[in-house]
Amino acid sequence: MNKLSFMIAASASLMLASCGQGDILYADNAVVNLSPVDGNPSSGYMDLHGGRVDVELVSVTSDDVLRLEMHETTEEDGMMSMAKLKSIPVPAGETVKLEPGGKHLMIWGVGAGSKKRGLLTMTLIYSNNDRIEIDAAIRKVGDPVPGTEE
Ligand SMILES: [Cu+2]
């Protein structure tokens, strides 16, 4: 599955290079930072790449979690707070990053099977009814962050 998502991402970027515009809706770089405390939510991040038309990400689901929500962290007068999002706009041809301190996923109750596999399979559901399955790499506290070792 991971290999498949990678191939889709790779062929999508090839097409971007050849026609010079983003016209495929996809997502990559998905990770889940597992909460070190049982019962506390884990956080999820990824890059959402827009397709030919403006859409919204309206839901993210997974068969192996208790609950999954889309959130946004905001800072006001030095106070950080989080609000639940009903949807995340993904404009045509643009990349929307779910990242620490911004829009992100909150995930409760990641299943033991996914933890063992080191991957959480999620389904992204868009306003145009596109459904994209993506495997997020599960990272535990203390794991090296990919890209910082080279
Ligand atoms: Cu949150």
Side-chain angles (χ1 to χ4, degrees):
M1 255 322 172
N2 209 25
K3 213 169 254 173
L4 183 65
S5 342
F6 174 73
M7 280 168 57
I8 290 167
S11 59
S13 49
L14 271 180
M15 289 192 71
L16 291 186
S18 60
C19 63
Q21 57 179 28
D23 55 1
I24 292 175
L25 188 65
Y26 72 103
D28 59 8
N29 296 326
V31 295
V32 170
N33 286 344
L34 210 57
S35 168
V37 182
D38 261 348
N40 282 8
S42 303
S43 46
Y45 308 106
M46 66 180 71
D47 296 339
L48 303 170
H49 300 275
R52 212 180 305 237
V53 294
D54 295 350
V55 294
E56 292 186 355
L57 178 63
V58 292
S59 180
V60 183
T61 64
S62 173
D63 287 342
D64 200 27
V65 304
L66 288 178
R67 190 151 61 97
L68 211 161
E69 291 179 358
M70 299 184 280
H71 279 198
E72 181 160 32
T73 303
T74 51
E75 191 188 330
E76 207 176 308
D77 302 327
M79 294 275 289
M80 303 292 275
S81 62
M82 273 199 302
K84 200 170 153 179
L85 296 173
K86 283 207 175 93
S87 64
I88 296 174
V90 184
E94 287 184 26
T95 298
V96 177
K97 282 183 175 289
L98 306 190
E99 58 191 353
K103 295 184 176 76
H104 59 275
L105 305 176
M106 296 255 77
I107 305 158
W108 285 262
V110 175
S114 296
K115 285 184 191 168
K116 200 173 164 192
R117 211 158 60 101
L119 291 173
L120 179 68
T121 303
M122 296 186 276
T123 304
L124 313 177
I125 303 173
Y126 293 89
S127 51
N128 64 348
N129 216 24
D130 266 19
R131 279 149 206 260
I132 296 175
E133 201 173 88
I134 186 165
D135 280 341
I138 296 178
R139 295 203 303 232
K140 296 188 191 84
V141 172
D143 282 357
V145 176
T148 58
E149 295 151 288
E150 281 116 354

